[in-house]
């Protein structure tokens, strides 16, 4: 078996970490056949977790699936060594080694549960998450008739009904339902609410109206609300919802002067007391203490471990709201919890819940008294897009990608009628340099604004830069963001827009940067973006300026900056939670496993007004044919709880 392990390492199919982990667990195993089979199972499990999966389904342990259907000769040689084991034989072999693998009833490094092999930690996380959402979905707040009427009145004030006639007659279809109103009603009456919707469906709007309603509903109480998101950009958008809330309050109630809500907006890492090396448990408990509402945006980016930590510290009285877009990329780390939860979207609500919502909103939701999954009572899908109209090209492209219709996608991209979308086929060296030139042109207005200002308006410059961004799929190579950044810099330098200071190519006025490590002392976290600009008082001194989530400017000396990179180009993963007026999306020229329709969708929906795509038809077709498919048992666990 050792020679096959070395070959897989050489081909980059497994990591040294995967192999060392298996060696450590099997140190006391003496049976050679069991040793070889367990070696394969443990290494594959470790490799799959590195790819973002939560577990290893046993059906993967076959020659045709082991390496994604590739390297069949190596896979078949391994199977000759261990024998052609059926799933039942794998189950028996794994469980007989009870010091390494358990069935979950006792502690062991690995757990085999319903044909899935887990690390114990991942299995425990998944079980706790399933238990939380199942039992939380069955907790409807007790509301008196008086309180019900008060909530209904506030909902009607904030969500005026434009279809009164249909409402009175009781004739409505799903297109008539105001799902924003439904979402807010759910958050007011449920322990947990999961709201999914694409860009422009009004998630920020929902947060602002929820805050406004609970301000009025509990005006005599001092409620504590925390809002959190994975990235600084998402946190900034949550702060915008507070401003919108104040505007809404003044419109609905002119006598209302100041909210009694205590609202704090933080990153998820700060909420969870997490730093690079440890988690401050006491800080976490304090953060969650006495919370009335916890609102989390961009929840599709929450991995299994982080979700388990969030629910672990919630108090019994806290209502929690998750907002996100299940069509977007999943988290970087293992798990796709938000997507797994949204699996139940479209299934009928319970009768009891449907009646509650009807009493509050006068909308009738589809319900069923049979085959009820109570988890559906926590889910709301926002179905109307307020940013992209029915004729919006970007909106139509997003819908085509989500539906998996590759022919419609290519038709939209190659149509000569499109105005908002530019599709440039990159097939050779000449096309590549045309692409670079066009990507660089997008930043000329930004540099002209810097040069033309005798006194630089920091907020204005930061906002102008954030109007446009080049997004890449890869990190390395000619189509990766590292090389693209260098080449775009060179083009702008040749145009006389970049002037290096002290012969340092990384030090110049207008250099955009993105932070790649956390430094809480400087209020800088991974993914924060800023710009190097001169000091107001001394033009020869350069500082890095960042827009904080509260709208204030954070000024940082260059020598104190944590690790950072140039940010003319950023990856689609890093751009999650951000939006720009104009986006250039650069695909690689070769097929790579990272190309999926979720990544495509996430990239194009960063653009609000205009979009340029640099690719070729073969790459687009391959991308549309592949999706993220992360293995977990969460959906099955939630179904299993239904049977209890």
């Amino acid at each position: 078996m050792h020679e096959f392990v070395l070959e897989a390492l050489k081909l980059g199919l497994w990591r040294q970490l995967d192999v060392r982990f298996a060696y450590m667990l099997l140190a006391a195993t003496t049976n050679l056949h069991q040793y070889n089979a367990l070696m394969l199972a443990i290494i594959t499990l470790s490799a799959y977790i590195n790819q973002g999966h939560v577990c290893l389904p046993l059906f993967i342990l076959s020659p045709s699936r082991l390496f994604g259907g590739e390297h069949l000769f190596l896979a078949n040689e391994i199977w000759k060594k261990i024998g052609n084991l059926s799933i039942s034989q794998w189950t028996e072999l794994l469980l007989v080694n009870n010091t390494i693998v358990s069935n979950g009833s006792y502690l062991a490094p690995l757990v085999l549960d319903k044909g899935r092999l887990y690390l114990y930690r991942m299995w425990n996380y998944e079980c706790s998450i399933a238990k939380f959402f199942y039992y939380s979905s069955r907790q409807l707040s007790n509301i008196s008739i008086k309180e019900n009427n008060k909530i209904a009145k506030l909902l009607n004030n904030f969500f005026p009904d434009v279809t009164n006639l249909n409402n009175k007659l009781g004739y409505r279809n799903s297109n008539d339902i105001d799902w924003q109103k439904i979402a807010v009603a759910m958050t007011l009456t449920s322990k947990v609410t999961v709201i999914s919707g694409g860009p422009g469906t009004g998630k920020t709007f929902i947060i602002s109206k929820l805050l406004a309603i609970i301000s009025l509903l509990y005006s005599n109480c001092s409620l504590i609300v925390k809002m959190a998101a994975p990235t600084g950009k998402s946190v900034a958008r949550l702060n915008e919802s507070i401003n919108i809330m104040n505007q809404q309050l003044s419109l609905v109630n002119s006598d209302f002067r100041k909210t009694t809500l205590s609202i704090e907006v933080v990153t998820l890492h700060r909420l969870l007391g997490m730093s690079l090396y440890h988690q401050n448990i006491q800080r976490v408990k304090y953060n969650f203490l006495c919370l009335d509402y916890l609102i989390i945006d961009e929840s599709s980016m929450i991995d299994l471990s982080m979700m388990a930590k969030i629910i672990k510290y919630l108090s019994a009285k806290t209502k929690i709201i998750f907002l996100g877009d299940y069509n977007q990329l999943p988290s970087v780390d293992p798990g796709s919890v938000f997507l797994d939860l949204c699996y139940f979207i479209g299934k009928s609500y319970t009768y009891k819940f449907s009646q509650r919502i009807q009493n509050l909103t006068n909308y009738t939701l589809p319900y069923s008294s049979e085959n009820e999954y109570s988890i559906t009572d926590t889910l709301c899908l926002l179905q109307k897009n307020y940013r992209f109209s029915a004729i919006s090209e970007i909106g139509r492209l997003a819908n085509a990608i989500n539906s998996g219709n590759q022919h419609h996608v290519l038709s939209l991209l190659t149509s000569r009628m499109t105005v908002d979308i530019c599709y440039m086929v990159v097939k050779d060296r000449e096309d590549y340099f045309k692409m670079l030139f066009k990507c660089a042109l997008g930043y000329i207005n930004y540099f002209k604004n810097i040069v033309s200002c005798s006194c630089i308006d920091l907020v204005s410059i930061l906002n102008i830069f954030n109007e446009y961004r080049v997004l890449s799929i890869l990190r390395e190579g000619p189509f990766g963001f590292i090389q693209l950044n260098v080449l775009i810099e060179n083009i702008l330098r040749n145009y006389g827009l970049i002037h290096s200071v002290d012969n340092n190519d990384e030090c110049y006025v207008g250099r955009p940067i993105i932070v790649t490590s956390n430094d809480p002392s400087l209020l800088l976290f991974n993914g924060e973006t800023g710009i190097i600009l001169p000091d107001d008082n001394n033009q020869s001194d350069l500082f890095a300026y960042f827009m904080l989530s509260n709208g204030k400017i954070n000024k940082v000396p260059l020598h104190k900056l944590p690790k950072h990179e140039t940010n003319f180009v950023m990856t689609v993963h890093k751009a999650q939670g951000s939006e720009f007026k104009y986006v250039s999306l650069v695909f690689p020229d070769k097929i790579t496993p990272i190309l999926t329709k979720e990544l495509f969708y996430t990239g194009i929906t960063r653009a609000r007004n205009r979009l340029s795509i640099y690719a070729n038809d073969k790459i687009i077709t391959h991308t549309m044919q592949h999706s993220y498919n992360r293995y977990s048992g969460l959906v099955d666990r939630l179904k299993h709880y239904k049977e209890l």
Side-chain angles (χ1 to χ4, degrees):
M1 189 68 179
H2 184 65
E3 65 272 24
F4 302 133
V5 171
L6 291 177
E7 181 64 19
L9 286 171
K10 183 178 178 181
L11 292 170
L13 302 172
W14 294 334
R15 302 169 300 161
Q16 282 287 352
L17 178 62
D18 305 325
V19 176
R20 295 296 174 187
F21 177 59
Y23 281 148
M24 179 187 72
L25 291 185
L26 296 173
T29 303
T30 56
N31 183 298
L32 184 59
H33 177 257
Q34 290 183 10
Y35 182 92
N36 289 335
L38 287 170
M39 172 72 72
L40 175 64
I42 295 169
I43 291 176
T44 307
L45 170 62
S46 180
Y48 264 58
I49 289 173
N50 181 56
Q51 294 169 21
H53 302 285
V54 173
C55 60
L56 173 70
L58 293 187
F59 66 76
I60 295 296
L61 296 174
S62 66
S64 62
R65 293 178 177 270
L66 181 61
F67 300 122
E70 299 181 357
H71 306 283
L72 288 176
F73 177 79
L74 176 59
N76 284 317
E77 289 299 307
I78 292 173
W79 251 257
K80 288 178 185 178
K81 191 76 174 177
I82 67 170
N84 191 16
L85 301 175
S86 65
I87 289 180
S88 61
Q89 288 172 320
W90 272 112
T91 301
E92 183 180 350
L93 185 147
L94 289 164
L95 291 177
V96 78
N97 291 270
N98 55 16
T99 59
I100 300 173
V101 184
S102 83
N103 60 5
S105 61
Y106 59 91
L107 193 61
L110 309 180
V111 174
L112 182 63
D113 187 3
K114 295 182 175 62
R116 301 181 182 91
L117 187 62
Y118 295 82
L119 293 179
Y120 176 83
R121 174 173 56 90
M122 307 296 277
W123 175 81
N124 192 41
Y125 286 157
E126 188 176 273
C127 289
S128 65
I129 291 169
K131 182 178 180 180
F132 170 81
F133 278 96
Y134 174 76
Y135 285 107
S136 296
S137 68
R138 305 177 78 84
Q139 296 179 27
L140 280 178
S141 303
N142 293 319
I143 300 177
S144 64
I145 296 176
K146 182 179 179 180
E147 189 175 6
N148 183 93
N149 293 337
K150 188 174 182 182
I151 292 174
K153 183 178 179 181
L154 287 169
L155 286 170
N156 287 331
N157 287 341
F158 281 92
F159 297 94
D161 195 344
V162 295
T163 53
N164 287 322
L165 180 59
N166 283 345
N167 189 17
K168 289 177 182 178
L169 296 174
Y171 297 121
R172 292 193 146 178
N173 58 46
S174 60
N175 294 325
D176 293 324
I177 293 176
D178 186 344
W179 288 99
Q180 289 188 350
K181 185 176 184 179
I182 298 294
V184 174
M186 291 172 68
T187 62
L188 292 167
T189 59
S190 303
K191 165 74 175 176
V192 59
T193 308
V194 179
I195 303 169
S196 181
T201 52
K203 295 187 291 293
T204 302
F205 194 65
I206 285 171
I207 296 171
S208 65
K209 292 210 169 186
L210 169 64
L211 294 175
I213 288 174
I214 60 178
S215 291
L216 296 170
L217 191 62
Y218 305 105
S219 57
N220 296 325
C221 307
S222 297
L223 296 189
I224 300 174
V225 177
K226 280 197 177 177
M227 301 196 291
T231 67
K233 288 290 183 184
S234 305
V235 168
R237 198 161 60 247
L238 286 174
N239 271 300
E240 289 175 18
S241 66
I242 299 176
N243 296 329
I244 298 172
M245 172 199 72
N246 289 324
Q247 294 171 14
Q248 294 288 339
L249 286 171
S250 62
L251 288 173
V252 174
N253 188 342
S254 58
D255 296 328
F256 194 90
R257 292 287 175 262
K258 185 175 175 60
T259 178
T260 57
L261 298 181
S262 169
I263 306 175
E264 184 181 7
V265 186
V266 296
T267 63
L268 272 177
H269 284 81
R270 185 177 172 192
L271 177 74
L272 295 170
M274 297 168 69
S275 67
L276 185 61
Y277 301 108
H278 71 284
Q279 182 183 22
N280 187 331
I281 300 300
Q282 294 305 316
R283 173 67 181 270
V284 178
K285 290 180 178 178
Y286 174 78
N287 283 344
F288 282 83
L289 188 66
C290 299
L291 272 185
D292 294 290
Y293 280 87
L294 175 59
I295 301 169
I296 300 179
D297 198 11
E298 296 293 345
S299 297
S300 64
M301 299 171 68
I302 301 176
D303 59 75
L304 187 81
S305 170
M306 185 173 283
M307 181 65 81
K309 289 180 173 69
I310 291 168
I311 65 175
K312 179 179 180 180
Y313 297 105
L314 278 181
S315 69
K317 75 166 189 173
T318 304
K319 288 185 171 71
I320 184 167
I321 299 106
F322 297 97
L323 300 103
D325 182 357
Y326 71 80
N327 290 307
Q328 282 193 27
L329 285 167
S331 58
V332 174
D333 291 322
S336 51
V337 180
F338 193 79
L339 177 61
D340 288 344
L341 293 172
C342 291
Y343 165 86
F344 296 93
I345 282 178
K347 304 199 181 329
S348 297
Y349 293 97
T350 64
Y351 173 75
K352 182 179 178 181
F353 178 79
S354 179
Q355 288 297 108
R356 165 68 62 84
I357 294 300
Q358 185 175 25
N359 290 335
L360 292 172
T361 66
N362 209 22
Y363 289 109
T364 302
L365 299 181
Y367 65 86
S368 172
S369 56
E370 298 179 359
N371 300 320
E372 294 179 343
Y373 293 105
S374 61
I375 184 68
T376 59
D377 292 350
T378 69
L379 304 174
C380 182
L381 177 64
L382 304 176
Q383 301 178 28
K384 182 176 179 180
N385 199 300
Y386 298 88
R387 179 190 305 167
F388 302 131
S389 66
I391 60 172
S392 164
E393 292 159 0
I394 297 175
R396 288 164 60 200
L397 179 60
N399 291 334
I401 293 170
N402 284 337
S403 67
N405 190 335
Q406 67 189 54
H407 300 295
H408 190 199
V409 167
L410 285 171
S411 174
L412 286 170
L413 293 180
T414 55
S415 171
R416 294 184 179 180
M417 302 298 291
T418 56
V419 177
D420 300 336
I421 301 174
C422 174
Y423 176 52
M424 176 177 170
V425 176
V426 181
K427 59 184 183 298
D428 53 31
R429 183 181 176 86
E430 183 181 352
D431 291 339
Y432 178 76
F433 283 104
K434 283 182 181 177
M435 175 193 77
L436 288 174
F437 178 75
K438 288 187 176 182
C439 287
L441 281 179
Y443 292 109
I444 287 181
N445 180 56
Y446 159 69
F447 276 102
K448 283 183 176 179
N449 272 275
I450 293 176
V451 173
S452 64
C453 293
S454 56
C455 181
I456 292 177
D457 181 348
L458 295 173
V459 174
S460 175
I461 292 298
L462 286 165
N463 287 335
I464 290 170
F465 177 72
N466 284 324
E467 289 180 353
Y468 171 68
R469 197 62 43 88
V470 180
L471 304 182
S472 70
I473 307 298
L474 303 177
R475 177 180 175 84
E476 309 285 348
F479 291 85
F481 86 89
I482 294 176
Q483 193 163 332
L484 289 173
N485 267 313
V486 172
L487 294 172
I488 288 175
E489 266 185 334
N490 290 339
I491 292 172
L492 295 171
R493 187 174 282 111
N494 291 337
Y495 269 85
L497 297 171
I498 291 178
H499 304 279
S500 299
V501 176
D502 299 328
N503 294 319
N504 182 353
D505 287 345
E506 294 188 346
C507 186
Y508 55 86
V509 173
R511 183 193 176 201
I513 59 175
I514 182 168
V515 174
T516 58
S517 63
N518 297 333
D519 191 334
S521 66
L522 295 172
L523 299 178
L524 292 178
F525 300 91
N526 186 12
E528 300 276 4
T529 59
I531 299 173
I532 295 177
L533 293 169
D535 182 41
D536 284 341
N537 300 320
N538 188 345
Q539 294 288 307
S540 62
D541 290 339
L542 298 183
F543 289 83
Y545 295 89
F546 299 84
M547 180 84 76
L548 294 176
S549 59
N550 59 9
K552 295 181 180 179
I553 300 295
N554 185 13
K555 177 180 176 182
V556 181
L558 298 189
H559 69 276
K560 287 189 175 182
L561 280 174
K563 290 182 180 179
H564 58 279
E565 297 167 327
T566 303
N567 191 37
F568 290 113
V569 186
M570 65 195 303
T571 63
V572 174
H573 282 84
K574 286 281 189 183
Q576 277 190 274
S578 300
E579 294 175 356
F580 311 96
K581 283 186 178 179
Y582 175 29
V583 164
S584 291
L585 179 60
V586 178
F587 279 81
D589 62 337
K590 294 181 175 61
I591 289 173
T592 171
I594 199 174
L595 290 171
T596 63
K597 67 185 187 71
E598 290 83 5
L599 184 141
F600 193 6
Y601 170 83
T602 304
I604 69 155
T605 53
R606 300 310 92 202
R608 292 196 299 269
N609 299 73
R610 284 194 299 145
L611 172 68
S612 292
I613 297 175
Y614 300 92
N616 61 60
D617 292 2
K618 180 181 177 182
I619 294 294
I620 295 295
T621 300
H622 173 88
T623 301
M624 287 300 301
Q625 291 173 345
H626 291 79
S627 293
Y628 272 98
N629 181 23
R630 289 190 168 179
Y631 294 118
S632 82
L634 183 57
V635 170
D636 282 347
R637 289 190 195 284
L638 290 168
K639 288 180 178 179
H640 170 72
Y641 273 110
K642 168 187 174 288
E643 298 166 5
L644 293 181

